[in-house]
Every structure is written in structure tokens, then in C-alpha cells.
Coordinates of all heavy atoms in Angstrom, one line a residue:
M1 N 2.6 -19.3 -2.7 CA 1.4 -18.6 -2.2 C 1.7 -17.2 -2.0 O 2.7 -16.8 -1.4 CB 0.8 -19.3 -1.0 CG -0.4 -18.6 -0.5 SD -1.1 -19.6 0.9 CE -2.7 -19.0 0.9
A2 N 0.9 -16.3 -2.5 CA 1.1 -14.8 -2.3 C 0.9 -14.4 -0.8 O 0.0 -14.9 -0.1 CB 0.2 -14.1 -3.2
E3 N 1.7 -13.5 -0.4 CA 1.7 -13.1 1.0 C 0.5 -12.1 1.2 O 0.4 -11.1 0.4 CB 3.0 -12.4 1.4 CG 3.0 -12.1 2.9 CD 4.4 -11.5 3.3 OE1 5.3 -11.5 2.5 OE2 4.5 -11.2 4.5
R4 N -0.3 -12.3 2.2 CA -1.4 -11.4 2.5 C -0.9 -10.3 3.4 O -0.2 -10.6 4.4 CB -2.6 -12.2 3.2 CG -3.1 -13.3 2.4 CD -4.3 -13.1 1.6 NE -5.4 -12.5 2.3 CZ -6.2 -11.7 1.7 NH1 -6.1 -11.4 0.4 NH2 -7.2 -11.2 2.4
V5 N -1.3 -9.1 3.1 CA -0.9 -7.9 4.0 C -2.1 -7.0 4.2 O -3.1 -7.0 3.4 CB 0.3 -7.1 3.3 CG1 1.5 -7.9 3.3 CG2 -0.1 -6.7 1.9
R6 N -2.0 -6.2 5.2 CA -3.0 -5.2 5.5 C -2.3 -3.9 5.5 O -1.2 -3.7 6.1 CB -3.7 -5.4 6.8 CG -4.8 -4.4 7.2 CD -5.5 -4.7 8.5 NE -6.2 -5.9 8.5 CZ -5.8 -7.0 9.1 NH1 -4.8 -7.0 10.0 NH2 -6.5 -8.1 9.1
V7 N -2.9 -2.9 4.9 CA -2.4 -1.5 5.0 C -2.7 -0.9 6.3 O -3.9 -1.0 6.8 CB -3.0 -0.7 3.8 CG1 -2.4 0.8 3.9 CG2 -2.7 -1.3 2.5
K8 N -1.7 -0.4 7.0 CA -1.9 0.2 8.3 C -2.9 1.3 8.2 O -3.0 2.0 7.2 CB -0.6 0.6 8.9 CG 0.4 -0.5 9.2 CD 1.7 0.0 9.7 CE 2.6 -1.2 10.0 NZ 4.0 -0.7 10.4
T9 N -3.6 1.6 9.3 CA -4.6 2.6 9.4 C -4.0 3.9 9.9 O -4.7 4.8 10.4 CB -5.8 2.2 10.2 OG1 -5.4 1.8 11.5 CG2 -6.5 1.1 9.6
M10 N -2.7 4.1 9.8 CA -2.1 5.3 10.3 C -2.6 6.6 9.6 O -3.0 6.5 8.4 CB -0.6 5.3 10.0 CG 0.2 4.1 10.6 SD 2.0 4.2 10.4 CE 2.2 4.2 8.6
M11 N -2.7 7.7 10.3 CA -3.2 8.9 9.7 C -2.2 10.0 10.0 O -2.5 11.0 10.7 CB -4.6 9.3 10.2 CG -5.7 8.3 9.7 SD -5.8 8.2 7.9 CE -7.2 9.3 7.6
P12 N -0.9 9.9 9.6 CA 0.1 10.9 10.0 C -0.2 12.2 9.3 O -0.7 12.2 8.1 CB 1.4 10.3 9.6 CG 1.0 9.4 8.4 CD -0.4 8.8 8.8
P13 N 0.2 13.3 9.8 CA 0.1 14.6 9.1 C 1.1 14.7 8.0 O 2.1 14.0 8.0 CB 0.3 15.6 10.2 CG 1.2 14.9 11.2 CD 0.8 13.5 11.2
G14 N 0.9 15.6 7.1 CA 1.9 15.9 6.1 C 1.7 15.1 4.8 O 0.7 14.5 4.5
H15 N 2.8 15.0 4.1 CA 2.9 14.3 2.8 C 2.9 12.8 3.0 O 3.8 12.3 3.6 CB 4.2 14.8 2.1 CG 4.4 14.1 0.8 ND1 3.7 14.6 -0.3 CD2 5.1 13.1 0.4 CE1 4.1 13.8 -1.4 NE2 4.9 12.9 -1.0
V16 N 1.9 12.2 2.5 CA 1.7 10.7 2.7 C 1.5 10.1 1.3 O 0.7 10.7 0.5 CB 0.6 10.4 3.6 CG1 0.4 8.9 3.8 CG2 0.8 11.0 5.0
R17 N 2.1 9.0 1.0 CA 2.0 8.4 -0.3 C 1.0 7.2 -0.4 O 1.0 6.5 -1.4 CB 3.4 7.9 -0.8 CG 4.4 9.1 -1.0 CD 4.1 9.9 -2.1 NE 4.0 9.1 -3.3 CZ 4.5 9.3 -4.5 NH1 5.2 10.4 -4.6 NH2 4.4 8.5 -5.5
T18 N 0.3 6.9 0.7 CA -0.6 5.8 0.7 C -2.0 6.3 0.7 O -2.4 7.0 1.7 CB -0.3 4.9 1.9 OG1 1.0 4.4 1.8 CG2 -1.3 3.7 2.0
P19 N -2.8 6.0 -0.3 CA -4.2 6.6 -0.3 C -5.0 6.2 0.9 O -5.0 5.0 1.3 CB -4.8 6.0 -1.6 CG -3.6 5.6 -2.4 CD -2.5 5.2 -1.5
A20 N -5.8 7.1 1.4 CA -6.7 6.8 2.5 C -7.6 5.7 2.3 O -7.9 4.9 3.2 CB -7.4 8.1 2.9
Y21 N -8.2 5.5 1.1 CA -9.1 4.5 0.8 C -8.5 3.1 0.9 O -9.3 2.1 1.0 CB -9.9 4.7 -0.5 CG -9.1 4.5 -1.7 CD1 -9.0 3.2 -2.3 CD2 -8.4 5.5 -2.3 CE1 -8.2 3.0 -3.5 CE2 -7.6 5.3 -3.5 CZ -7.6 4.1 -4.0 OH -6.8 3.9 -5.2
L22 N -7.2 2.9 0.9 CA -6.6 1.6 1.0 C -6.2 1.3 2.5 O -6.0 0.1 2.8 CB -5.3 1.6 0.2 CG -5.5 1.7 -1.3 CD1 -4.1 1.7 -2.0 CD2 -6.3 0.6 -1.8
R23 N -6.2 2.3 3.4 CA -5.8 2.0 4.8 C -6.9 1.1 5.4 O -8.1 1.3 5.3 CB -5.7 3.3 5.5 CG -4.6 4.2 4.9 CD -4.4 5.5 5.5 NE -3.7 6.4 4.6 CZ -3.5 7.6 4.8 NH1 -4.0 8.2 5.8 NH2 -2.9 8.3 3.9
G24 N -6.3 0.1 6.1 CA -7.2 -0.9 6.8 C -7.6 -2.0 5.9 O -8.2 -3.0 6.3
K25 N -7.3 -2.0 4.6 CA -7.7 -3.0 3.6 C -6.6 -4.1 3.5 O -5.5 -3.8 3.7 CB -8.0 -2.4 2.2 CG -9.0 -1.3 2.2 CD -10.4 -1.7 2.7 CE -11.4 -0.6 2.7 NZ -12.7 -1.0 3.1
T26 N -7.1 -5.3 3.1 CA -6.2 -6.4 3.0 C -6.0 -6.8 1.5 O -7.0 -6.8 0.7 CB -6.8 -7.6 3.7 OG1 -6.9 -7.2 5.1 CG2 -5.9 -8.8 3.6
G27 N -4.8 -7.0 1.1 CA -4.5 -7.4 -0.2 C -3.4 -8.5 -0.2 O -3.0 -8.9 0.8
T28 N -2.9 -8.8 -1.4 CA -1.8 -9.7 -1.6 C -0.6 -9.0 -2.3 O -0.8 -8.2 -3.2 CB -2.2 -11.0 -2.3 OG1 -2.7 -10.6 -3.6 CG2 -3.2 -11.8 -1.6
I29 N 0.6 -9.4 -1.9 CA 1.7 -8.8 -2.5 C 1.9 -9.5 -3.9 O 2.0 -10.7 -4.0 CB 3.0 -9.0 -1.7 CG1 3.0 -8.2 -0.4 CG2 4.3 -8.7 -2.5 CD1 4.1 -8.3 0.5
E30 N 1.7 -8.7 -4.9 CA 1.8 -9.2 -6.3 C 3.3 -9.4 -6.6 O 3.7 -10.4 -7.3 CB 1.2 -8.2 -7.2 CG 1.0 -8.7 -8.6 CD 2.1 -8.4 -9.5 OE1 2.9 -7.4 -9.4 OE2 2.4 -9.3 -10.4
R31 N 4.2 -8.4 -6.2 CA 5.6 -8.6 -6.3 C 6.4 -7.5 -5.6 O 5.8 -6.4 -5.5 CB 6.0 -8.7 -7.8 CG 5.9 -7.3 -8.5 CD 6.5 -7.5 -10.0 NE 6.3 -6.3 -10.7 CZ 5.4 -6.2 -11.7 NH1 4.7 -7.2 -12.1 NH2 5.4 -5.1 -12.4
P32 N 7.6 -7.8 -5.1 CA 8.4 -6.7 -4.6 C 9.0 -5.9 -5.7 O 9.3 -6.5 -6.8 CB 9.5 -7.5 -3.8 CG 9.5 -8.8 -4.4 CD 8.2 -9.1 -5.0
L33 N 9.2 -4.6 -5.5 CA 9.8 -3.7 -6.5 C 11.2 -3.3 -6.2 O 11.8 -2.6 -7.0 CB 8.9 -2.6 -6.8 CG 7.4 -2.9 -7.2 CD1 6.5 -1.7 -7.2 CD2 7.5 -3.6 -8.6
G34 N 11.7 -3.5 -5.0 CA 13.0 -3.1 -4.6 C 13.0 -2.0 -3.5 O 11.9 -1.5 -3.2
P35 N 14.1 -1.7 -3.0 CA 14.2 -0.6 -2.1 C 14.3 0.8 -2.8 O 15.1 0.9 -3.7 CB 15.5 -0.9 -1.3 CG 16.3 -1.7 -2.2 CD 15.4 -2.4 -3.2
F36 N 13.6 1.8 -2.2 CA 13.7 3.1 -2.8 C 13.7 4.1 -1.6 O 13.2 3.8 -0.5 CB 12.4 3.4 -3.6 CG 12.4 2.6 -4.9 CD1 11.8 1.4 -4.9 CD2 13.0 3.1 -6.0 CE1 11.8 0.6 -6.1 CE2 13.0 2.4 -7.2 CZ 12.4 1.1 -7.2
A37 N 14.2 5.3 -1.8 CA 14.2 6.3 -0.8 C 12.8 6.7 -0.5 O 11.9 6.8 -1.3 CB 14.9 7.6 -1.3
N38 N 12.5 6.8 0.8 CA 11.2 7.1 1.3 C 10.7 8.5 0.9 O 11.2 9.5 1.3 CB 11.2 7.0 2.9 CG 9.8 7.2 3.4 OD1 8.9 7.6 2.8 ND2 9.7 6.8 4.7
P39 N 9.7 8.6 0.0 CA 9.2 9.9 -0.5 C 8.6 10.7 0.5 O 8.5 11.9 0.4 CB 8.2 9.5 -1.6 CG 7.7 8.1 -1.2 CD 8.9 7.5 -0.6
E40 N 8.1 10.1 1.6 CA 7.5 10.9 2.7 C 8.6 11.7 3.4 O 8.2 12.8 4.0 CB 6.8 10.0 3.6 CG 5.6 9.3 3.0 CD 4.9 8.2 3.8 OE1 5.3 7.9 4.9 OE2 4.0 7.6 3.3
Q41 N 9.8 11.3 3.4 CA 10.9 12.1 3.9 C 11.5 13.0 2.9 O 11.8 14.2 3.2 CB 12.0 11.2 4.5 CG 11.6 10.3 5.7 CD 12.6 9.2 6.0 OE1 13.0 8.5 5.1 NE2 12.9 9.1 7.3
L42 N 11.6 12.6 1.7 CA 12.1 13.4 0.6 C 11.3 14.7 0.4 O 11.8 15.7 0.0 CB 12.2 12.6 -0.7 CG 13.2 11.5 -0.8 CD1 13.0 10.7 -2.1 CD2 14.6 12.1 -0.7
A43 N 10.0 14.6 0.6 CA 9.1 15.7 0.4 C 9.5 16.9 1.2 O 9.1 18.0 0.9 CB 7.7 15.3 0.6
Y44 N 10.1 16.6 2.4 CA 10.5 17.7 3.3 C 12.0 18.0 3.2 O 12.5 18.7 4.1 CB 10.1 17.3 4.7 CG 8.6 17.3 4.8 CD1 7.9 16.0 4.8 CD2 7.8 18.4 4.9 CE1 6.5 16.0 4.8 CE2 6.4 18.4 4.9 CZ 5.8 17.1 4.9 OH 4.4 17.1 5.0
G45 N 12.7 17.4 2.2 CA 14.1 17.7 2.1 C 14.9 17.0 3.2 O 16.1 17.4 3.4
L46 N 14.4 15.9 3.8 CA 15.1 15.2 4.8 C 15.9 14.0 4.2 O 15.5 13.5 3.1 CB 14.1 14.6 5.8 CG 13.2 15.6 6.6 CD1 12.1 14.9 7.3 CD2 14.1 16.5 7.5
P47 N 16.9 13.6 4.9 CA 17.6 12.4 4.4 C 16.6 11.2 4.4 O 15.8 11.1 5.4 CB 18.7 12.1 5.5 CG 18.8 13.4 6.2 CD 17.5 14.1 6.1
A48 N 16.5 10.5 3.4 CA 15.5 9.5 3.2 C 16.0 8.1 3.3 O 16.9 7.7 2.6 CB 14.8 9.6 1.9
D49 N 15.5 7.3 4.3 CA 15.9 5.9 4.4 C 15.3 5.1 3.3 O 14.2 5.5 2.7 CB 15.3 5.3 5.7 CG 15.7 6.1 7.0 OD1 16.9 6.5 7.0 OD2 15.0 6.1 7.9
K50 N 16.0 4.1 2.8 CA 15.5 3.2 1.8 C 14.4 2.3 2.4 O 14.7 1.8 3.5 CB 16.6 2.5 1.1 CG 17.4 3.3 0.2 CD 18.0 2.6 -0.9 CE 18.7 3.6 -1.8 NZ 19.0 3.0 -3.1
Q51 N 13.3 2.2 1.8 CA 12.2 1.4 2.2 C 11.9 0.4 1.1 O 11.9 0.8 -0.1 CB 11.0 2.2 2.5 CG 11.1 3.2 3.6 CD 11.1 2.5 5.0 OE1 10.5 1.4 5.1 NE2 11.7 3.1 6.0
P52 N 11.5 -0.8 1.4 CA 11.0 -1.8 0.3 C 9.7 -1.3 -0.2 O 8.8 -0.8 0.5 CB 10.9 -3.1 1.0 CG 10.7 -2.8 2.5 CD 11.4 -1.5 2.7
L53 N 9.6 -1.3 -1.5 CA 8.3 -1.0 -2.2 C 7.7 -2.2 -2.8 O 8.4 -3.1 -3.3 CB 8.6 0.0 -3.3 CG 7.4 0.6 -4.1 CD1 6.5 1.4 -3.2 CD2 7.9 1.5 -5.2
Y54 N 6.4 -2.4 -2.6 CA 5.7 -3.6 -3.1 C 4.5 -3.2 -4.0 O 3.9 -2.1 -3.7 CB 5.1 -4.4 -1.9 CG 6.2 -4.9 -0.9 CD1 6.5 -4.1 0.2 CD2 6.9 -6.0 -1.2 CE1 7.5 -4.6 1.1 CE2 7.8 -6.5 -0.3 CZ 8.2 -5.8 0.8 OH 9.1 -6.2 1.7
R55 N 4.2 -4.0 -4.9 CA 3.0 -3.9 -5.7 C 2.0 -4.8 -4.9 O 2.2 -6.0 -4.8 CB 3.1 -4.3 -7.1 CG 1.8 -4.2 -7.9 CD 2.0 -4.1 -9.3 NE 2.7 -2.9 -9.7 CZ 3.5 -2.7 -10.7 NH1 3.7 -3.8 -11.5 NH2 4.2 -1.6 -10.9
V56 N 0.9 -4.2 -4.4 CA -0.1 -5.0 -3.7 C -1.4 -5.0 -4.4 O -1.8 -3.9 -5.0 CB -0.3 -4.3 -2.3 CG1 -1.3 -5.1 -1.5 CG2 1.0 -4.2 -1.5
R57 N -2.0 -6.1 -4.5 CA -3.3 -6.3 -5.3 C -4.4 -6.4 -4.3 O -4.4 -7.2 -3.4 CB -3.2 -7.5 -6.2 CG -4.4 -7.8 -7.1 CD -4.0 -8.7 -8.2 NE -3.1 -8.1 -9.1 CZ -2.3 -8.7 -10.0 NH1 -2.3 -10.0 -10.0 NH2 -1.6 -8.0 -10.8
F58 N -5.5 -5.6 -4.6 CA -6.7 -5.6 -3.8 C -7.9 -6.0 -4.7 O -7.9 -5.5 -5.9 CB -7.0 -4.2 -3.2 CG -5.9 -3.7 -2.4 CD1 -4.8 -3.0 -2.9 CD2 -5.9 -3.9 -1.0 CE1 -3.8 -2.5 -2.1 CE2 -4.9 -3.4 -0.2 CZ -3.8 -2.7 -0.8
S59 N -8.8 -6.7 -4.2 CA -10.1 -7.0 -5.0 C -11.0 -5.8 -4.8 O -11.0 -5.1 -3.7 CB -10.7 -8.3 -4.5 OG -11.3 -8.1 -3.2
M60 N -11.8 -5.6 -5.7 CA -12.8 -4.5 -5.6 C -13.8 -4.8 -4.5 O -14.3 -3.9 -3.8 CB -13.6 -4.3 -6.9 CG -12.8 -3.7 -8.0 SD -12.2 -2.1 -7.5 CE -10.8 -1.9 -8.5
A61 N -14.1 -6.1 -4.2 CA -14.9 -6.5 -3.1 C -14.3 -6.1 -1.8 O -15.0 -5.6 -0.9 CB -15.2 -8.0 -3.1
E62 N -13.0 -6.2 -1.7 CA -12.3 -5.8 -0.4 C -12.4 -4.3 -0.3 O -12.6 -3.7 0.8 CB -10.8 -6.2 -0.4 CG -10.0 -5.7 0.7 CD -10.3 -6.1 2.1 OE1 -11.0 -7.1 2.2 OE2 -9.9 -5.5 3.0
L63 N -12.2 -3.5 -1.4 CA -12.2 -2.1 -1.3 C -13.6 -1.5 -1.1 O -13.7 -0.5 -0.3 CB -11.5 -1.5 -2.5 CG -10.0 -1.9 -2.8 CD1 -9.5 -1.2 -4.0 CD2 -9.2 -1.5 -1.5
W64 N -14.6 -2.0 -1.8 CA -15.8 -1.3 -1.9 C -17.0 -2.1 -1.4 O -18.1 -1.6 -1.4 CB -16.1 -0.8 -3.3 CG -15.0 -0.1 -3.9 CD1 -14.2 -0.5 -5.0 CD2 -14.4 1.1 -3.4 NE1 -13.2 0.4 -5.2 CE2 -13.3 1.4 -4.3 CE3 -14.7 2.0 -2.4 CZ2 -12.5 2.6 -4.1 CZ3 -13.9 3.1 -2.2 CH2 -12.8 3.4 -3.1
G65 N -16.7 -3.4 -0.9 CA -17.8 -4.2 -0.4 C -18.9 -4.4 -1.4 O -18.6 -4.6 -2.6
E66 N -20.1 -4.4 -0.9 CA -21.3 -4.7 -1.8 C -21.5 -3.6 -2.9 O -22.2 -3.8 -3.8 CB -22.5 -4.9 -0.9 CG -22.5 -6.1 -0.1 CD -23.8 -6.5 0.5 OE1 -24.8 -6.0 0.0 OE2 -23.8 -7.3 1.5
A67 N -20.9 -2.5 -2.7 CA -21.0 -1.4 -3.7 C -20.1 -1.6 -4.9 O -20.3 -0.9 -5.9 CB -20.7 0.0 -3.1
A68 N -19.3 -2.6 -4.9 CA -18.4 -2.9 -6.0 C -19.2 -3.4 -7.2 O -19.9 -4.3 -7.1 CB -17.3 -4.0 -5.6
E69 N -19.0 -2.7 -8.4 CA -19.7 -3.2 -9.6 C -19.2 -4.5 -10.0 O -20.1 -5.4 -10.4 CB -19.4 -2.2 -10.7 CG -20.3 -1.0 -10.7 CD -20.1 -0.1 -11.9 OE1 -20.1 -0.6 -13.0 OE2 -20.0 1.1 -11.7
C70 N -17.9 -4.8 -10.0 CA -17.3 -6.1 -10.4 C -16.4 -6.5 -9.3 O -15.2 -6.2 -9.3 CB -16.5 -5.9 -11.7 SG -17.6 -5.4 -13.1
P71 N -17.0 -7.2 -8.3 CA -16.3 -7.6 -7.1 C -14.9 -8.3 -7.3 O -14.0 -8.3 -6.5 CB -17.2 -8.5 -6.3 CG -18.6 -8.2 -6.9 CD -18.3 -7.8 -8.3
T72 N -14.8 -9.1 -8.5 CA -13.6 -9.8 -8.7 C -12.5 -9.0 -9.5 O -11.4 -9.5 -9.6 CB -13.9 -11.1 -9.5 OG1 -14.5 -10.8 -10.7 CG2 -14.8 -12.1 -8.7
D73 N -12.9 -7.9 -9.9 CA -11.8 -7.0 -10.6 C -10.8 -6.6 -9.5 O -11.1 -6.7 -8.3 CB -12.5 -5.7 -11.2 CG -13.1 -6.0 -12.5 OD1 -13.1 -7.1 -13.0 OD2 -13.7 -5.0 -13.0
T74 N -9.7 -6.2 -9.9 CA -8.6 -5.9 -8.9 C -8.0 -4.5 -9.2 O -8.2 -3.9 -10.3 CB -7.5 -6.9 -9.0 OG1 -6.9 -6.9 -10.3 CG2 -8.0 -8.3 -8.6
L75 N -7.4 -4.0 -8.2 CA -6.6 -2.7 -8.2 C -5.2 -3.0 -7.7 O -5.1 -3.7 -6.6 CB -7.3 -1.7 -7.4 CG -6.6 -0.4 -7.3 CD1 -7.5 0.8 -7.4 CD2 -5.8 -0.3 -6.0
D76 N -4.2 -2.6 -8.4 CA -2.8 -2.7 -7.9 C -2.3 -1.4 -7.4 O -2.6 -0.4 -8.1 CB -1.9 -3.3 -9.0 CG -2.1 -4.7 -9.3 OD1 -3.0 -5.4 -8.7 OD2 -1.3 -5.3 -10.1
A77 N -1.7 -1.3 -6.3 CA -1.1 -0.1 -5.8 C 0.3 -0.4 -5.3 O 0.6 -1.5 -4.8 CB -1.9 0.4 -4.6
E78 N 1.2 0.6 -5.5 CA 2.6 0.5 -5.0 C 2.6 1.1 -3.7 O 2.4 2.3 -3.5 CB 3.5 1.1 -6.1 CG 3.5 0.3 -7.3 CD 4.3 0.8 -8.5 OE1 4.9 1.9 -8.3 OE2 4.4 0.2 -9.5
I79 N 3.0 0.3 -2.7 CA 3.0 0.7 -1.3 C 4.3 0.4 -0.6 O 4.8 -0.7 -0.7 CB 1.8 0.1 -0.5 CG1 0.5 0.4 -1.2 CG2 1.7 0.5 0.9 CD1 -0.8 -0.3 -0.7
Y80 N 4.8 1.3 0.2 CA 6.0 1.1 0.9 C 5.8 0.2 2.1 O 4.8 0.2 2.7 CB 6.6 2.5 1.3 CG 7.3 3.2 0.2 CD1 6.6 4.0 -0.7 CD2 8.7 2.9 -0.1 CE1 7.2 4.6 -1.8 CE2 9.3 3.6 -1.2 CZ 8.6 4.4 -2.0 OH 9.2 5.0 -3.1
G81 N 6.9 -0.6 2.4 CA 6.8 -1.6 3.4 C 6.4 -1.1 4.8 O 5.8 -1.8 5.6
H82 N 6.8 0.1 5.1 CA 6.4 0.6 6.5 C 4.9 0.9 6.7 O 4.4 1.1 7.8 CB 7.2 1.9 6.8 CG 6.9 3.1 6.0 ND1 7.5 3.3 4.7 CD2 6.2 4.2 6.3 CE1 7.0 4.4 4.3 NE2 6.3 5.0 5.2
W83 N 4.2 0.8 5.6 CA 2.7 0.9 5.6 C 2.0 -0.5 5.7 O 0.8 -0.5 5.8 CB 2.2 1.6 4.4 CG 2.3 3.1 4.5 CD1 3.3 3.9 4.1 CD2 1.3 4.0 5.1 NE1 3.0 5.2 4.4 CE2 1.8 5.3 5.0 CE3 0.1 3.7 5.7 CZ2 1.1 6.4 5.5 CZ3 -0.6 4.8 6.2 CH2 -0.1 6.1 6.1
L84 N 2.7 -1.6 5.6 CA 2.1 -2.9 5.5 C 2.4 -3.7 6.8 O 3.4 -3.6 7.4 CB 2.7 -3.6 4.3 CG 2.5 -2.9 2.9 CD1 3.2 -3.7 1.8 CD2 1.0 -2.8 2.6
E85 N 1.4 -4.6 7.1 CA 1.6 -5.5 8.1 C 1.1 -6.9 7.6 O 0.1 -6.9 6.9 CB 0.8 -5.1 9.4 CG -0.6 -4.8 9.2 CD -1.3 -4.2 10.4 OE1 -0.6 -3.7 11.3 OE2 -2.5 -4.0 10.4
R86 N 1.7 -7.9 8.0 CA 1.3 -9.3 7.6 C 0.0 -9.7 8.3 O -0.2 -9.3 9.4 CB 2.4 -10.3 7.9 CG 3.6 -10.2 7.1 CD 4.6 -11.3 7.5 NE 5.7 -11.4 6.5 CZ 6.9 -10.9 6.8 NH1 7.2 -10.5 8.1 NH2 7.8 -11.0 5.9
V87 N -0.8 -10.4 7.5 CA -2.1 -11.0 8.1 C -2.0 -12.5 8.0 O -1.3 -13.1 7.3 CB -3.3 -10.4 7.5 CG1 -3.5 -8.9 7.8 CG2 -3.3 -10.6 6.0

């Protein structure tokens, strides 16, 4: 069974790699992609901790509610683990 996750609703200042429209939304991990240097630190020339990166699948119904043209269509996004929480 695919693991359900929610994108944290953090709104930190600066360079952020997680789209605002995904924050607070729930999806399923489609697959892990491995650990990568955190681009939010790299953007400022800082030493970057490795973070797990995941491909997360969201339904259009989850993202857009009743405004979704095709509610069962999906969107995949690559999101770092520090942005995700289990549900």
C-alpha cells in the first residue's frame, strides 16, 4: 500500500522548492528517488545536508476540489522529505 503524506504548510522566506499550491495537500508516495543535497541550502552557497527526495502523486480533486476538470487525473511532484508528514 502506498504511503499517504501531507505537504507541510510552512512558509519560510527565501528560496523554496515546494510549490505553494501543494502545501497542506495530501498525496501518496509514488516512489523514493534517493538522497540529494538540499537545494534550499545550496541556493545560498551553504553546506547542504542530504535529504530524501520523493515523487508524490496528488489527485486533481485533492488539489483543486470541485473546480477540477478531471478529478481523477493526477499530478506528480518531486518533494524533499523535510516538507512531508505522514497521515
Side-chain angles (χ1 to χ4, degrees):
M1 180 175 200
E3 184 175 0
R4 304 262 311 147
V5 292
R6 180 178 299 111
V7 180
K8 293 179 182 176
T9 56
M10 303 185 299
M11 294 299 261
H15 180 80
V16 177
R17 296 290 304 226
T18 300
Y21 70 91
L22 294 178
R23 297 177 200 172
K25 303 300 183 181
T26 301
T28 57
I29 292 179
E30 192 273 326
R31 70 175 176 252
L33 300 172
F36 293 90
N38 184 345
E40 295 171 3
Q41 294 169 313
L42 290 174
Y44 295 101
L46 300 172
D49 300 328
K50 288 207 171 194
Q51 297 285 336
L53 182 63
Y54 299 96
R55 180 160 296 148
V56 182
R57 183 163 290 158
F58 302 89
S59 72
M60 290 297 155
E62 170 67 18
L63 297 180
W64 311 117
E66 293 193 19
E69 278 186 46
C70 298
T72 58
D73 282 357
T74 60
L75 174 138
D76 286 6
E78 294 176 357
I79 303 176
Y80 283 87
H82 66 281
W83 276 93
L84 300 174
E85 56 191 9
R86 290 185 171 106
V87 290

